[in-house]
Amino acid sequence: MLTYFKAFRRTLAVAAVALAAFSLQPGSAQAQSDPTAEPSPGVVGGTRATQGEFPWMVRLSMGCGGALYTQQIVLTAAHCVDGSGPNTSITATAGVVDLQSSQAVKVKSTQVVQAPGYDGSGKDWALIKLAKPVNLPTLKIADNTAYNNGTFTVAGWGAATEGGSQQRYLLKANVPYVDDATCQKAYGSALTPGDEICAGYLAQGGVDTCQGDSGGPMFRKDNAGAWIQVGIVSWGEGCARPGYPGVYSEVSTFAANIRTAAASLGG
């Protein structure tokens, strides 16, 4: 059961990564030649984000999302990276909702820290240090469970439908919290309570993150009205299926580890 469910990570398959250069076009089925065409609704069941709405959002070249933890460090999912150490192979795109915009800021990675002890079950976080700081706002992370409730926002450039292509424009959606006991009824022992938090419309489905959204943030407003990250897109059974909420790495569980790892990167 564990192996079966964990196979539905929300990153891209190798073949999909290779196709990303032309699939980041409007629409959810095939690339289109008209650069002004509207994309299909996405993240699944979402709408297009406006420029500057979530300025800390980052698209990573391996087909994942992320958020600026500092101006030089991206917080993403452990399953998006291949271990820890020097790494100059990742390109982070930031500052735009349209990945084809000439205003996009593109910066190479220099080093990666994957969650210590990550084995595919829980602990799904990683940090990517960039070659230089990006002059954009950052997204603070939750360091306790106070905000692990209510309605969350998710955003990403991933597929707008299960099995669909990646999106050119950043898409957003709202998803409600699903408690651990309810989520375990769907996923059984595949869920790692304490390491993971669930969200989605359990009865009807229809709104969810999907392949290519892995590593992106799940966030909400704190008591001061500022955005705070409570989850990292991790996995799920398909995308937006009734009875199967999205599963996210629970940021508050790992906040101290993330801070320590960021300090070690010096960013």
Side-chain angles (χ1 to χ4, degrees):
M1 186 68 73
L2 179 63
T3 303
Y4 174 73
F5 282 122
K6 292 297 185 182
F8 287 88
R9 291 290 182 189
R10 294 193 165 170
T11 188
L12 298 177
V14 173
V17 173
L19 292 171
F22 72 82
S23 65
L24 293 169
Q25 302 288 333
S28 62
Q30 295 181 354
Q32 301 176 13
S33 58
D34 180 3
T36 64
E38 292 289 314
S40 297
V43 162
V44 172
T47 57
R48 191 191 295 190
T50 59
Q51 179 62 35
E53 187 173 4
F54 309 123
W56 21 259
M57 286 294 301
V58 174
R59 178 67 172 176
L60 299 170
S61 56
M62 81 287 277
C64 283
L68 289 172
Y69 174 75
T70 72
Q71 291 189 327
Q72 201 170 352
I73 295 176
V74 176
L75 176 61
T76 187
H79 74 266
C80 287
V81 301
D82 186 20
S84 299
N87 186 323
T88 59
S89 68
I90 302 167
T91 300
T93 300
V96 293
V97 295
D98 177 0
L99 293 176
Q100 295 186 12
S101 170
S102 61
Q103 303 302 309
V105 177
K106 295 180 181 290
V107 185
K108 284 285 190 180
S109 61
T110 61
Q111 195 168 352
V112 171
V113 174
Q114 188 181 56
Y118 173 71
D119 62 1
S121 179
K123 299 184 179 69
D124 197 10
W125 64 269
L127 297 177
I128 299 172
K129 185 175 183 180
L130 304 179
K132 61 182 180 180
V134 177
N135 187 24
L136 288 168
T138 59
L139 178 61
K140 67 178 179 179
I141 64 171
D143 57 11
N144 60 63
T145 61
Y147 299 109
N148 289 2
N149 57 71
T151 299
F152 307 114
T153 299
V154 291
W157 290 270
T161 57
E162 186 174 327
S165 62
Q166 302 300 286
Q167 298 294 296
R168 169 177 171 176
Y169 297 96
L170 180 66
L171 302 164
K172 63 178 181 178
N174 293 328
V175 287
Y177 169 71
V178 174
D179 65 79
D180 285 349
T182 302
C183 198
Q184 278 192 299
K185 290 179 181 178
Y187 292 119
S189 61
L191 188 73
T192 308
D195 278 19
E196 295 173 325
I197 180 172
C198 302
Y201 293 92
L202 199 65
Q204 70 270 35
V207 181
D208 199 3
T209 49
C210 201
Q211 278 63 50
D213 290 323
S214 275
M218 180 172 75
F219 47 98
R220 53 160 289 177
K221 293 289 183 69
D222 66 12
N223 291 336
W227 291 115
I228 187 168
Q229 183 172 356
V230 298
I232 300 169
V233 179
S234 186
W235 62 281
E237 167 73 351
C239 303
R241 296 183 187 181
Y244 293 99
V247 182
Y248 301 79
S249 188
E250 191 170 301
V251 168
S252 60
T253 299
F254 306 107
N257 304 89
I258 291 168
R259 281 195 296 269
T260 299
S264 75
L265 290 174

